[in-house]
């Protein structure tokens, strides 16, 4: 007799009589389930466009809208095909502006703002709103009194996370990303996201140390005033630096006594002090930290020239706002553009939202952090300067950056292809423990099942494991372990979903990731009407720096050799764009 039958029996005998009805997820279309009396429930369908006991009956306009709305798979197909058509649309700013506005509003409307739940409250509370030490939660935790961890479906116990990861997520042979994503992208992803994904494990996996909840560049400037002050030179707005082999690097911890995590084997003078205490972990992170430090001091020079009367403080603060703007620009137009694979050219234009209802605020969600565990990107070894570094020779070895220099790392990381994120079985064994831990945290925090997340984002819930994985063998194993597709967990499902054809991952990571991402980027205060103007950034020059920022320029203006870089490996056709590679005059 299998576990499902046992559970059913148990249920008939005792538990089911008193099952919390909300455990059945009865309320559809984002209706809110509230317990009433001893065994009853009510669905609050306010503002859902639906009515009825379970919010399943559409109002007239809802039916029209649902009928006209293209499916995500269809939109994705359009956006990634018909390049000739997009080449035309991209040139007509009336069309492309309106399409970009639609992308931004449709995506960010899926994210509640102000935020709602957190891992300790599955109903609205002032604490949940006001205590920013929590990651917010898009969907509230599964009630503690539900018969199974997924509500009512599936087994009472989940499959062992270690064995699950080993069977379905561990890499057998390296699967390169078909979109040709490279390590330059992977380390950018890690560097960029760790400013707002900083789980506070002392408090628990539902808490964050990144209280800015967005693009605040705390990984460059430190997360508190004291750390920032240690990192600053207090002259011309600049950050402290040191010169090694004639080039600018972050200062050593000798000169800047702040907490950094390094192995004791790293010589103290090679331990660099930067905003994020964990970035000594990978040379790729230290490389980006160095680039942004150089950029900060470069922009300070430009501002100082335009505003010779400005204090150190004003130069520093204004430069920080400019770097936040540059970051968002590069993330939308280079990073998200690459990731999407769209032929439609995305634009960073905050003014597109000025006539829309849009809240300029953001709270980082736990689900976003889980979804962003993109460890399959990491290769089996790191090919730098014709040398193959194993994990143990690469991690916690910041001296690789100082020894080889920024330019060499940039060239190597641009050349090396990253792993495909979706499709399963592509995480290197050295970092498989991260996937195990994210699965375990998801359980501890009682994340709702994957299909409930599908529904929230307007996607049809999967009816079977075959439909999820697009094959039969793995699907059958999953079915055996979980019992029911409605019991499948969020993180493993995201990685095991069939990827798009030639895509880096499947529909769910795109449809769930894009709303969080765009809301976080455009919800930044610098994108709001009272900030988004030249004076905020020291005048037209500063504003132009933001509006012309690219990855290539960031690299070019801050390196010796101005290596050609991108977020994908160079195509062998040899028509790599040279845009932004004009050699700049640099003095640090
Ligand atoms: C060699 C490279 C990498 C190593 C050794 C590494 C290792 C780790 C470790 C040890 C954790 C903490 C896990 C835990 O205890 O729960 C973590 C968290 C995380 N990693 Fe990675 N990782 C690497 C690359 C990446 C990349 C390329 C990404 C891409 C986005 C990424 C995204 C994340 C995220 C989002 C978290 C959660 C952070 C938090 O909330 O604290 N990692 N990683
Ligand atoms: C509402 O949902 C519950 C639980 O899924 C179901 O038993 C019930 O039949 C539904 N009621 C209506 C009117 O659809
Ligand atoms: C936020 O909640 C946590 C957990 O209850 C608590 O330890 C912390 O003090 C709270 N923070 C604030 C600012 O109240
Ligand atoms: C999961 O399996 C591993 C061995 O594969 C074992 O060491 C671990 O204790 C198991 N965890 C649980 C919670 O049973």
């Amino acid at each position: 007799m299998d576990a499902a039958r046992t559970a059913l029996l148990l249920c008939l005998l005792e538990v089911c009589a008193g099952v919390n009805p909300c455990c059945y997820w009865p309320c559809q279309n984002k209706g809110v389930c509230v317990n009433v009396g001893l065994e009853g429930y009510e669905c609050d369908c306010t503002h859902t466009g639906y009515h009825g006991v379970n919010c399943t009956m559409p109002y007239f306009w809802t039916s029209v809208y649902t009928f006209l709305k293209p499916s995500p798979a269809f939109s994705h197909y359009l956006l990634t095909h018909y390049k000739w058509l997009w080449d035309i649309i991209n040139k007509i700013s009336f069309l492309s502006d309106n399409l970009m506005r639609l992308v931004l509003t449709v995506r960010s409307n899926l994210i509640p703002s102000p935020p709602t739940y957190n891992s300790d409250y599955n109903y609205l509370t002032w604490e949940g709103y006001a205590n920013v030490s929590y990651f917010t939660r898009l969907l509230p935790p599964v009630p503690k009194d539900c018969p199974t961890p997924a509500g009512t479906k599936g087994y009472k116990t989940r499959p062992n996370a270690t064995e699950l990861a080993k069977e379905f997520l561990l890499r057998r042979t390296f699967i390169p990303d078909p979109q040709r994503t490279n390590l330059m992208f992977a380390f950018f992803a890690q560097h960029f996201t760790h400013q707002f994904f900083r789980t506070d494990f002392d408090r628990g996996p539902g808490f964050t140390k990144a209280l800015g909840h967005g693009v605040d560049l705390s990984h460059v400037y430190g997360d508190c005033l004291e750390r920032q002050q240690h990192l600053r030179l207090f002259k011309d707005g600049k950050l402290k630096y040191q010169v090694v082999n004639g080039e600018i690097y972050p200062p050593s911890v000798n000169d800047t006594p702040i907490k950094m995590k390094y192995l004791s084997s790293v010589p103290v003078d090679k331990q660099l002090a930067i905003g994020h205490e964990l970035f000594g972990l990978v040379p790729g992170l230290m490389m980006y930290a160095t680039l942004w430090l150089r950029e900060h001091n470069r922009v300070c020079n430009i501002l100082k020239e335009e505003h010779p009367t400005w204090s150190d403080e004003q130069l520093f603060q204004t430069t920080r706002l400019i770097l936040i703007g540059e970051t968002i620009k590069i993330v939308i137009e280079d990073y998200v553009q690459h990731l999407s694979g769209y032929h439609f050219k995305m634009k960073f234009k905050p003014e597109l939202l000025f006539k829309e209802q849009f809240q300029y605020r953001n709270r980082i969600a736990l689900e976003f952090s889980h979804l962003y565990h993109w460890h399959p990107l990491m290769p089996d070894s790191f090919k730098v300067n014709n040398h193959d570094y194993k994990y143990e020779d690469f991690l916690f070895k910041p001296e690789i950056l100082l020894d080889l220099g920024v330019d060499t790392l940039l060239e190597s990381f641009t050349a090396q292809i990253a792993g495909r994120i979706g499709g399963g079985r592509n995480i290197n064994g050295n970092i498989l423990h991260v996937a195990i831990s994210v699965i375990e945290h998801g359980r501890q925090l009682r994340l709702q099942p994957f299909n409930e997340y599908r529904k929230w984002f307007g996607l049809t819930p999967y009816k079977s494991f075959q439909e999820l994985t697009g094959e039969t063998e793995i699907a059958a194993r999953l079915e055996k372990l979980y019992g029911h597709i409605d019991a499948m967990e969020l993180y493993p499902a995201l990685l095991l979903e069939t990827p798009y054809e030639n895509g880096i991952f499947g529909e769910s990571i795109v449809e769930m990731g894009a709303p969080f991402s765009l809301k976080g980027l455009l919800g930044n205060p610098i994108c709001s009407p009272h900030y988004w103007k030249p004076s905020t950034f020291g005048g037209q020059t500063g504003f132009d720096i933001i509006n012309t920022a690219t990855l290539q320029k960031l690299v070019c203006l801050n390196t010796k050799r101005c290596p050609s870089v991108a977020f994908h490996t160079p195509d062998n056709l040899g028509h790599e764009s040279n845009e932004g590679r004009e050699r700049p005059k640099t003095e640090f």
Side-chain angles (χ1 to χ4, degrees):
M1 189 162 68
D2 63 9
R5 303 254 298 278
T6 323
L8 186 69
L9 251 177
L10 263 175
C11 176
L12 290 172
L13 291 173
E14 37 162 359
V15 201
C16 260
V19 169
N20 173 353
C22 291
C23 299
Y24 291 94
W25 313 120
C27 310
Q28 307 302 307
N29 300 301
K30 304 187 192 178
V32 176
C33 190
V34 185
N35 300 104
V36 178
L38 288 178
E39 284 175 28
Y41 74 95
E42 255 173 31
C43 292
D44 184 347
C45 311
T46 309
H47 301 147
T48 61
Y50 292 81
H51 62 107
V53 183
N54 295 335
C55 312
T56 48
M57 297 165 48
Y59 289 109
F60 175 71
W61 285 112
T62 309
S63 318
V64 175
Y65 177 77
T66 319
F67 179 74
L68 293 176
K69 200 176 84 124
S71 76
F74 178 72
S75 309
H76 189 270
Y77 187 86
L78 282 188
L79 285 157
T80 52
H81 292 76
Y82 311 110
K83 183 166 183 308
W84 59 271
L85 181 66
W86 291 109
D87 284 345
I88 298 169
I89 295 174
N90 290 336
K91 289 207 181 84
I92 305 172
S93 61
F94 169 78
L95 288 180
S96 58
D97 278 4
N98 277 297
L99 194 58
M100 190 65 207
R101 178 172 19 243
L102 189 70
V103 169
L104 293 174
T105 50
V106 168
R107 294 293 197 191
S108 50
N109 278 339
L110 287 162
I111 307 299
S113 182
T116 51
Y117 310 104
N118 69 29
S119 294
D120 283 333
Y121 294 98
N122 57 7
Y123 46 92
L124 296 188
T125 58
W126 189 259
E127 179 67 13
Y129 165 74
N131 189 331
V132 296
S133 295
Y134 286 92
F135 286 113
T136 187
R137 287 275 288 267
L138 191 65
L139 296 187
V142 175
K144 290 208 169 102
D145 55 357
C146 289
T148 73
T152 58
K153 299 284 176 60
Y155 303 132
K156 272 186 185 296
T157 46
R158 246 84 185 254
N160 180 308
T162 307
E163 287 163 13
L164 196 66
K166 280 190 183 152
E167 180 170 357
F168 302 104
L169 303 180
L170 177 65
R171 175 177 291 154
R172 275 46 172 188
T173 51
F174 177 76
I175 306 166
D177 173 36
Q179 289 180 219
R180 295 190 292 120
T181 301
N182 57 16
L183 295 193
M184 190 67 187
F185 178 94
F187 292 132
F188 189 100
Q190 194 182 11
H191 178 265
F192 168 71
T193 61
H194 281 43
Q195 70 188 298
F196 47 77
F197 294 141
R198 290 207 297 137
T199 303
D200 185 350
F201 287 108
D202 295 338
R203 282 201 169 129
F207 292 92
T208 178
K209 291 192 228 176
L211 305 183
H213 286 276
V215 185
D216 59 359
L217 267 53
S218 56
H219 59 335
V220 176
Y221 301 108
D223 59 349
C224 62
L225 201 52
E226 200 199 332
R227 196 171 174 95
Q228 181 203 109
Q229 283 165 350
H230 277 298
L231 291 165
R232 282 172 62 174
L233 191 61
F234 289 110
K235 187 171 177 294
D236 301 340
K238 290 186 178 176
L239 293 170
K240 282 188 201 159
Y241 60 90
Q242 61 174 321
V243 179
V244 179
N245 303 328
E247 291 196 280
I248 302 287
Y249 286 93
S252 95
V253 291
N254 277 333
D255 306 323
T256 306
I258 55 172
K259 200 173 154 218
M260 288 294 297
K261 228 183 135 176
Y262 285 108
L263 297 183
S264 51
S265 55
V266 180
V268 182
D269 62 311
K270 300 219 162 163
Q271 297 187 11
L272 306 182
I274 57 167
H276 196 302
E277 74 175 49
L278 292 178
F279 280 3
L281 171 68
V282 192
L285 294 173
M286 207 39 100
M287 177 196 83
Y288 273 112
T290 305
L291 274 179
W292 284 111
L293 178 140
R294 292 179 185 178
E295 177 67 4
H296 177 95
N297 287 356
R298 187 187 76 85
V299 172
C300 283
N301 283 336
I302 294 172
L303 279 189
K304 162 105 179 164
E305 203 156 296
E306 294 225 344
H307 308 283
T309 63
W310 277 14
S311 64
D312 164 75
E313 186 67 18
Q314 194 166 3
L315 290 167
F316 170 82
Q317 299 292 354
T318 305
T319 300
R320 181 173 186 168
L321 291 183
I322 293 175
L323 263 73
I324 290 173
E326 288 190 67
T327 301
I328 300 175
K329 172 87 173 172
I330 292 172
V331 169
I332 293 181
E333 297 193 2
D334 288 329
Y335 175 96
V336 174
Q337 182 74 55
H338 164 75
L339 200 60
S340 71
Y342 293 169
H343 294 309
F344 170 56
K345 202 158 182 284
M346 281 191 269
K347 299 180 196 181
F348 174 45
K349 270 192 167 184
E351 58 271 29
L352 292 177
L353 292 177
F354 287 176
K355 291 196 172 114
E356 305 296 312
Q357 288 191 4
F358 182 81
Q359 297 280 331
Y360 290 98
R361 58 160 84 205
N362 189 50
R363 192 78 60 86
I364 298 295
L366 184 81
E367 295 95 338
F368 190 29
S369 158
H370 281 213
L371 172 154
Y372 231 116
H373 280 66
W374 291 351
H375 297 86
L377 287 171
M378 288 292 103
D380 290 332
S381 63
F382 302 85
K383 297 183 176 45
V384 183
N385 212 14
N386 301 321
H387 182 87
D388 229 351
Y389 289 86
K390 295 190 185 72
Y391 274 75
E392 59 267 34
D393 301 325
F394 195 70
L395 299 188
F396 284 114
K397 296 273 190 285
E399 56 271 38
I400 291 177
L401 173 71
L402 290 176
D403 294 347
L404 300 180
V406 173
D407 295 56
T408 301
L409 291 196
L410 286 166
E411 285 157 355
S412 303
F413 295 156
T414 298
Q416 186 172 358
I417 197 159
R420 189 183 209 177
I421 296 171
R425 293 192 178 163
N426 206 19
I427 301 182
N428 180 281
N430 289 289
I431 48 177
L432 193 68
H433 66 277
V434 185
I436 297 168
S437 119
V438 80
I439 294 170
E440 281 169 348
H441 295 147
R443 292 173 182 181
Q444 189 184 336
L445 299 172
R446 311 184 64 80
L447 282 184
Q448 288 191 23
F450 176 61
N451 265 343
E452 290 303 310
Y453 282 100
R454 294 267 305 168
K455 288 198 234 165
W456 178 276
F457 286 100
L459 305 168
T460 323
Y462 284 119
K463 284 178 203 64
S464 65
F465 285 98
Q466 286 90 312
E467 201 191 349
L468 170 73
T469 65
E471 51 76 78
T472 53
E473 218 171 296
I474 289 173
R477 283 288 300 146
L478 288 171
E479 173 136 28
K480 186 147 190 292
L481 292 169
Y482 280 97
H484 197 287
I485 183 69
D486 289 341
M488 184 62 188
E489 299 174 277
L490 178 66
Y491 183 70
L494 289 170
L495 289 195
L496 293 173
E497 182 181 51
T498 329
Y500 278 124
E501 195 187 345
N502 296 320
I504 188 165
F505 37 50
E507 178 185 63
S508 299
I509 296 189
V510 177
E511 296 299 313
M512 300 181 191
F516 286 125
S517 160
L518 293 176
K519 171 69 185 173
L521 294 165
L522 272 296
N524 194 287
I526 71 154
C527 300
S528 69
H530 284 287
Y531 282 68
W532 186 247
K533 42 183 152 184
S535 53
T536 307
F537 309 101
Q540 195 58 44
T541 308
F543 207 38
D544 288 345
I545 293 178
I546 296 178
N547 286 314
T548 60
T550 62
L551 177 72
Q552 184 65 69
K553 268 182 76 182
L554 173 70
V555 163
C556 222
L557 297 174
N558 295 297
T559 51
K560 256 199 222 152
R561 296 202 291 270
C562 179
S564 172
V565 293
F567 282 143
H568 52 85
T569 54
D571 45 19
N572 17 26
L573 304 172
H575 54 60
E576 197 65 33
S577 163
N578 260 15
E579 222 178 317
R581 281 198 72 209
E582 74 278 13
R583 191 75 194 110
K585 43 176 188 342
T586 22
E587 14 90 45
F588 291 103

